Amino acid sequence: MAETKEKSLSDEKPKPRVRPIVRLGIFLISHSFLVSIVCCTAGVLALFLLPVLAKNTYISENALMPGSASPMLSNQHVSDGNRLVKDLTNPNSKSSETGIESHKIIAQYMLDLGAEVSFHKFHPQMNQFHPLHFFSSPVSGKIQENYSCSSYGINTVGIIRAPRGDGKEAIVLVTPYNALKSGFGEALSLGIAYSVFSLLTQVTWLAKDIIWLVADSQYGEYAAVAAWLREYQTPKFSSLSTPNAEMCPDVNNLFELKGHSISGSKFSNSFRRAGTMAAALVLKVRDQNEQFEDTISIYAEASNGQMPNLDLINVVNYLAVHRQGLRVNVEKLWPLLNSSWLKSLGEIFESLAKVAKSLYPKWKFGIPATEYVEGTATLASSLYYQALGVPTGPHGAFRDYQVDAITLEISPKFSLDKVWRNDILLRGGRLIEGVIRSVNNLLEKFHQSFFLYLLTSPSKFVSVGVYMIAFALLIAPLPMVAASLYVDANSSSNCSKGDSSTPSAITDTDEHGIAIRSWRWLNSAKLVFIVHLWGAIVSLLPYFISQIPDCSPTTSFMIWVLLSILSLLTLNSVLASPLACAKATQEKEWALVKSVTISSVFIGLGLMSVINFATAEIGALLMVPMCLLARPLKLDVRAGTLRSFCRLICNLVLGHIAFPPAAFFLLKGMLDGFGNANVGDFWMWVESLWAWNSATYLFIGMVQLPCWVLCVSILFHTC
Amino acid sequence: MEKVKKKIGSFSFWNWVTASIIFRLILIYFPKNLNLSSRPEVSTPLTSFRRLAEGYWLKQSFMSPYAGSMYHGSPLLLSLLGPLTINRIEGQPNHLLYSLVSVIADVVSAMLIRATGQNLRLAYLRSLESLDLVKQIEVSEFLFSGDIAALIYLCNPFTIVACVGLSTSPIENMAVILCLYGACSRLIPLAAFGWVIATHLSLYSAILIIPVIFLLGCGPDSPPRKLFLQRHQQKEVLNQSKLPPRFSWGPVIHFAFWAFLWSVYVLVLCGISLKQFGGLWEMFKSTYGFILTVEDLSPNIGVLWYFFAEVFEFFRNFFLIVFHVNILFMILPLAIRLRHRPCYLAFVYVAICSMLKSYPSVGDSALYLGLLGWFVNELADMQFSLFLFCGYVGVSLLSPVMHNLWIWRGTGNANFYFATAMVYACLQIVLVVEGVSAMLNHDRKLRNLITGKPQDAKS
């Protein structure tokens, strides 16, 4: 398209036969300024319209049939659960220092029900920085660490074999439990799980094995679940190769003791497995609560913004609301709830919808302003947690093995009452039972409903087909502006050459001009490539900096900044001084650099939108205006018109905001207030990102930072 | 740009070569982390190193290497490269020896490309001289296309990935380049050897016989013969020595003789090595037959796997014929239009094959992108260069991500990956179309310079 226009410009007489699609392309490119303004505005507007466009969730997989059977969990099971809670909260059981007693109690309870029980001993594994993790399978490239016998955790695992199943599939129920300092909530979650478990040993409809994992959360809930899953999915065939928790003498002693004290033939010391996991539920009960009614919070975000199948959330939501009368919550960005501008925006949308409805009664798309504000707050938090790429709970570990999992956190309205405790046990237990029964009905993996979606409320979602429109509108101007800049740079240089030469030598210069013209962008491409290479180096630096012992976050950050600047200067001098090259030859060189920069940003954003949509969307909001507006400051100062002055101001502001640390502090300040901002915070944040193998980290290092550097170099271009 | 390129050409060519070799050696030391040899973009059923090792193992245990539809390559490769799959050096990466062989193959290919490129450049300058266009086209601005092509081949990420990913495509590419080099420098036995081996390793190289015949018959690329005649008509002196030679059948017959000799030799060798395992028929069935019937439908960067996974069994044979005839259809028109530029014709053929072949890999793209470097002077005003470049970068980044989304995350499906394959195919089509039209425009421009017409009659 680009060249076609150029051709038509260079030719004296316009050709009559131009294909319509080419003509459309030429039209768009020649009006790229207007088009980009319209597209960007529409993109931002579409983003704010998403809560209005959200659809109600529906259960897509027919086999699930939630709530079709009446719950079988009776008071008998509840009192069983109550017994376990009492035993666990009994001060006698906490006498042991390692908390082994409580695990013993749980194991004994499981054995009494006739389940297979085993213990899984694990060492908490630190998350390692591994930049290639995203492209490989989750198990490859795990680095073995030196184990010490001082720290280990014990997961208790109980397995019910399904009477009707073939043992090929399983459903996992996880309750995090810290034996050393367990709150009442944790004991209660164990009680709920136990009452369900005791029911499931008796039922006849079970077609999938049930695994109940009591995850030892003294080293974090995620670490325990991840360690168990790793063991489950990657069996080790040689015991000699890796040092294991089993080798520690004191651990073995403990388990020998246990072997004597626990009666039951189904206890085993080896690792027990069931079939492939169909779904996993993580159950938690919160200790304190400020809510006025029983609520249940759903956490679904796993690493890199992956979500479980929407059907799983639907089933939980349906059963909780329509069967158990619980209020279902998903995470909201609280500061947004009170913002007045959002409320007025909601009112505008509402009134617009009213007008539309009065015009044509079938147009019903409006939602009330309060609902809009809540939807936006939920959507914002959905975007935020997906963009971070850090799992919001232990369910994240399952997603790495393609198992759909969510965390359910029950927040009861008040505590310590016996009747109330039975009530919460009954309702929570029935909810879990219903979900398990639904999943039990599944014939295939979860595949019917969406994997790519954003929630605006527990029962409303925006699917990929809708939110991609907003993103596509936002980045649509990039290729157009790149093409128009490219064409302008080429044609202008061509003209100036033609003017300066004498008519007799016209063929000569034309020849020369052509030879340069078509491949002249290579120089700019080289500059862009070098800056991206620098971005890759910058993203690898924290790995080495983190090896320095006893380094405070602030100093680490400073070292990082220094090393980054140093490496930029080195690259600059070694690889044919990119910044000097840019200003060397032609006056329009900056336009070519900008054109190639925009192309690379377009590729980067497009790529990221596939990996993690939320990151790409937030990145696009920052980077697209900066890329589009970038223009040498000197030119704007020289022009001296109002328009160029505005652009100057915008450029300066955007140049500050789009710098990744600045954007981070700005966002943090907006959410938490600017009072306690610290330079080291950014380092801590980055460290958490790479510890969780978040693709956002790579995005910031290899797309956003290079883009910022290139834009700043365009701003300070001497022409 | 020209300054930069000249600098590359004259001073730092060897630096870049060394740098690319060192970069390959560094990557070879991290094979586990990169895991390139299991990527679908790099290793197809035909070029996979693991299949080669499996075939060798089968042969060592006195079974047919083609048993179990694992190995589909040549039996000669088994004898030559097979031992390298087992030999290990203590404390070194597992397949170090084989990796070194592919690095050497790459460097040899690059050197051959360089020599051929220099040949082509000299031939081009000579023909310009005989057309008296040397003054009008600044010859001093001419780039060293051989050096550029060799560097493009060596520094291309596709070549590096194919080399480090332990595929056999560096060796296949070397055979093709050997054939073209031999034909350009009129080493007929060498050309015949390269052609026979290239055809033996990957069936599609067989169509290179047409450019090779043109190369041997009338010499390397030059402007159309008509131009020379026009020029000399203008001057009214018919200087026969300045005219390009007419088509001569001598070298072609010579070539046919050598090609026959080499193919008999190769077939005898294959027959000996497969004597106990079903003989040559077995080999044809599981190499050429496997290529032509598209039996393996595991995803790759081509478009055929998806199509044949979808198509009804009933229509399968019909569509197999349609897809393969697609390549054959393009041979004749291109040969007629580009007969005066046989090397460029070879580039176009290689590009078309890598687009339409049943099991394409990035190694094939590496080959034709390298060959493209020969024609930097002629293709200086090619259109869409930035678009094509960005497209290649984008697709080669997007394709692994889509694969990950489909296979590892389970949130995508086959359509995601196939979409990138289609975009890739479209990019290749645009490259071929724009390349050919730029070359024709170049010829037109030369004609206009001779006849003295104005420049603007470009298309």
Side-chain angles (χ1 to χ4, degrees), chain A residues 287-303:
Chain A
D287 277 333
Q288 304 94 4
N289 188 22
E290 312 84 43
Q291 309 276 338
F292 300 108
E293 52 185 327
D294 293 340
T295 56
I296 176 163
S297 313
I298 297 177
Y299 298 91
E301 287 88 359
S303 58

Side-chain angles (χ1 to χ4, degrees), chain A residues 9 109-110 179 190 195 213 350 393 444 566 616 641-642 681 708:
Chain A
L9 277 182
Y109 266 82
M110 287 179 182
L190 282 175
S195 57
L213 171 69
E350 196 184 347
E444 304 160 276
L566 208 68
T641 58
L642 185 66
D681 287 350
W708 179 78

Side-chain angles (χ1 to χ4, degrees), chain B residues 50-68:
Chain B
R50 278 156 69 199
R51 287 172 185 256
L52 184 82
E54 177 78 11
Y56 183 68
W57 188 84
L58 282 173
K59 205 181 162 205
Q60 289 302 99
S61 38
F62 301 106
M63 280 184 269
S64 164
Y66 299 116

Side-chain angles (χ1 to χ4, degrees), chain B residues 113 148-150 152-153 156 158-159 169 172-174 176-177 180 208 301 343-357 360-376 379 382 388 391-392 395 421 423-433 435:
Chain B
I113 287 180
I148 291 168
I152 290 177
Y153 186 75
N156 189 346
F158 287 168
T159 325
S169 35
E172 288 170 17
N173 291 350
M174 190 170 72
V176 172
I177 293 166
L180 292 177
L208 287 182
I301 52 172
C343 275
Y344 195 71
L345 185 65
F347 154 74
V348 175
Y349 280 170
V350 170
I352 287 175
C353 280
S354 83
M355 185 166 55
L356 290 174
K357 77 198 288 190
S361 73
V362 289
D364 303 316
S365 315
L367 176 63
Y368 71 74
L369 287 177
L371 298 190
L372 186 64
W374 282 342
F375 311 101
V376 275
L379 297 182
M382 198 172 113
L388 280 171
Y392 269 93
V395 166
V423 173
Y424 182 63
C426 290
L427 279 177
Q428 284 171 319
I429 291 170
V430 174
L431 177 74
V432 169
V433 169

Side-chain angles (χ1 to χ4, degrees), chain B residues 95-134:
Chain B
H95 303 303
L96 182 70
L97 284 174
Y98 182 72
S99 316
L100 289 180
V101 167
S102 20
V103 172
I104 291 168
D106 268 0
V107 174
V108 170
S109 309
M111 291 308 116
L112 291 177
I113 287 180
R114 185 172 185 235
T116 316
Q118 281 166 349
N119 258 343
L120 286 178
R121 183 166 175 271
L122 286 179
Y124 185 51
L125 288 181
R126 224 180 299 132
S127 57
L128 283 186
E129 216 169 287
S130 62
L131 285 174
D132 296 331
L133 286 175
V134 184

Side-chain angles (χ1 to χ4, degrees), chain A residues 540-705:
Chain A
L540 282 175
L541 280 177
Y543 174 67
F544 300 105
I545 297 171
S546 65
Q547 310 281 330
I548 304 169
D550 304 329
C551 217
S552 77
T554 315
T555 31
S556 301
F557 182 66
M558 290 304 167
I559 294 174
W560 192 21
V561 171
L562 277 179
L563 282 178
S564 304
I565 294 171
L566 208 68
S567 58
L568 183 62
L569 294 177
T570 324
L571 267 181
N572 196 2
S573 55
V574 169
L575 287 168
S577 61
L579 295 174
C581 242
K583 66 187 167 190
T585 46
Q586 310 237 349
E587 53 181 300
K588 276 283 188 179
E589 191 70 33
W590 68 267
L592 273 182
V593 172
K594 187 177 165 183
S595 160
V596 180
T597 306
I598 289 178
S599 310
S600 77
V601 167
F602 181 69
I603 292 174
L605 284 175
L607 205 62
M608 199 60 204
S609 75
V610 180
I611 299 171
N612 187 348
F613 168 78
T615 311
E617 175 75 48
I618 295 173
L621 284 176
L622 279 174
M623 285 156 65
V624 168
M626 179 175 66
C627 285
L628 292 183
L629 282 173
R631 192 181 151 87
L633 293 177
K634 244 185 187 171
L635 285 183
D636 277 341
V637 172
R638 225 180 281 160
T641 58
L642 185 66
R643 186 175 152 192
S644 64
F645 184 70
C646 290
R647 188 161 52 202
L648 189 91
I649 298 294
C650 284
N651 269 330
L652 285 176
V653 170
L654 281 170
H656 283 103
I657 290 176
F659 183 48
F664 167 77
F665 285 117
L666 209 67
L667 204 68
K668 195 173 155 57
M670 281 203 303
L671 291 179
D672 308 339
F674 287 95
N676 45 7
N678 184 3
V679 184
D681 287 350
F682 184 70
W683 175 262
M684 308 256 277
W685 183 70
V686 163
E687 207 168 36
S688 82
L689 281 188
W690 64 251
W692 290 101
N693 286 314
S694 172
T696 307
Y697 174 71
L698 290 182
F699 173 79
I700 291 175
M702 294 176 67
V703 180
Q704 194 178 357
L705 190 64

